[in-house]
Amino acid sequence: GENVEQHPSTLSVQEGDSAVIKCTYSDSASNYFPWYKQELGKGSQLIIDIRSNVGEKKDQRIAVTLNKTAKHFSLHITETQPEDSAVYFCAARKHSGGGADGLTFGKGTHLIIQP
Amino acid sequence: GAVVSQHPSRVICKSGTSVKIECRSLDFQATTMFWYRQFPKQSLMLMATSNEGSKATYEQGVEKDKFLINHASLTLSTLTVTSAHPEDSSFYICSALRGERGNTIYFGEGSWLTVV
C-alpha cells in the first residue's frame, strides 16, 4: 500500500519568514495530493491540493509543488503569520477504477510561528 | 462554511455502552465517506471506507464488529462504537468525497470520544 513520509515533524520560523514542509510517497499510482491544516482538537481543514497533471499550484501565500518523478511534494507558506501556527498534514490518494480509496496521511508537521 | 458536519463534537460514555457518531455532507451527495481516528499528537489513521448502499471496507486491524458503519443515504454515514472501552477514547474524524469538484475530500469537525 501507499506510504507517506513527512518532514520535519516540528518547524519553528520567525513571523514574516517562509516555511516549507516536504512529503514523499511510495505509490506511483497516487494522483491526488491534498494538504490539511489542523488546529488543536479540531477537524482538519483542506488548505490546498494538487493533482498529478500539474507541477505547481498557488493560492495567495500558500503554494504546493509536485515532482512525480521523485515522488515528492512540498507545501510552501510565505510571509507567515501567527494564525498559521497549527499542525499540517500532507496526504496522497489514488483513484481506483471502482471507487475512491481513502487518503494516506503523513505524520504531521507542527508549525510554530515566532513573533 | 462547513460542507461536512459531524455530530456530536464531544461525547462521554461509560465502558460497555455504545455510542454513535454522525457524519453529514451538507450541500452535496457523497457516495463515499471515510472514517479516521487520531490519537494525541499522532496522524490521522484511516479506519474504513463507507460506501452508500453497500458494506464498508475496513482497514487491516480495525474490528468491523466493534466499529459499525452505516451509510444509508447519500448525505449521511454513521460510526457506532460498540461495547466501548477506555482505549477507544480518541478523536474520530469523518470525511466525504465530493465527486463533482474533481474528487476533493472534505473533513468534518471531528468528535472527541471519552470512555470512562
Side-chain angles (χ1 to χ4, degrees):
Chain A
E2 175 66 277
N3 181 48
V4 176
E5 299 282 341
Q6 184 171 348
H7 299 279
S9 57
T10 304
L11 178 60
S12 181
V13 301
Q14 290 293 125
E15 182 178 349
D17 289 349
S18 296
V20 181
I21 302 170
K22 299 181 180 181
C23 288
T24 60
Y25 61 99
S26 61
D27 191 340
S28 57
S30 289
N31 56 15
Y32 175 62
F33 309 92
W35 285 87
Y36 293 89
K37 176 183 180 181
Q38 186 175 26
E39 296 175 69
L40 186 64
K42 299 183 182 179
S44 299
Q45 175 191 6
L46 176 70
I47 55 172
I48 197 167
D49 56 15
I50 192 167
R51 299 178 195 280
S52 58
N53 58 347
V54 178
E56 182 174 0
K57 184 177 178 181
K58 191 172 182 180
D59 182 5
Q60 299 182 336
R61 296 188 296 110
I62 296 173
V64 57
T65 58
L66 171 65
N67 183 325
K68 287 194 321 184
T69 303
K71 290 190 282 189
H72 67 69
F73 55 112
S74 301
L75 177 72
H76 304 253
I77 305 175
T78 59
E79 299 173 25
T80 53
Q81 300 168 6
E83 53 264 36
D84 294 330
S85 295
V87 179
Y88 291 81
F89 290 97
C90 65
R93 182 176 70 88
K94 60 183 178 182
H95 186 252
S96 55
D101 296 333
L103 291 163
T104 300
F105 285 87
K107 292 192 172 170
T109 296
H110 186 188
L111 177 60
I112 302 166
I113 307 302
Q114 305 277 10
Chain B
V3 295
V4 174
S5 176
Q6 196 169 332
H7 178 81
S9 57
R10 291 183 179 272
V11 58
I12 300 173
C13 70
K14 293 184 177 180
S15 278
T17 63
S18 296
V19 62
K20 180 185 288 187
I21 302 170
E22 294 185 347
C23 180
R24 293 180 186 274
S25 55
L26 298 182
D27 60 353
F28 65 98
Q29 293 182 333
T31 55
T32 304
M33 291 185 174
F34 305 97
W35 286 96
Y36 300 82
R37 69 187 298 181
Q38 184 180 32
F39 292 106
K41 298 184 180 180
Q42 295 187 26
S43 189
L44 296 167
M45 296 297 294
L46 178 66
M47 298 175 66
T49 302
S50 172
N51 301 296
E52 188 269 335
S54 65
K55 292 183 179 179
T57 304
Y58 290 82
E59 295 299 300
Q60 193 171 10
V62 178
E63 299 175 59
K64 59 183 67 175
D65 294 331
K66 181 170 183 61
F67 299 98
L68 301 179
I69 292 173
N70 188 317
H71 194 156
S73 79
L74 287 170
T75 60
L76 174 65
S77 176
T78 61
L79 169 69
T80 301
V81 182
T82 64
S83 187
H85 291 283
E87 55 264 31
D88 297 325
S89 298
S90 185
F91 190 52
Y92 292 86
I93 307 177
C94 72
S95 67
L97 177 67
R98 187 165 191 168
E100 74 272 17
R101 289 200 177 179
N103 288 328
T104 301
I105 294 175
Y106 295 91
F107 279 83
E109 307 96 326
S111 299
W112 280 104
L113 170 63
T114 302
V115 184
V116 297

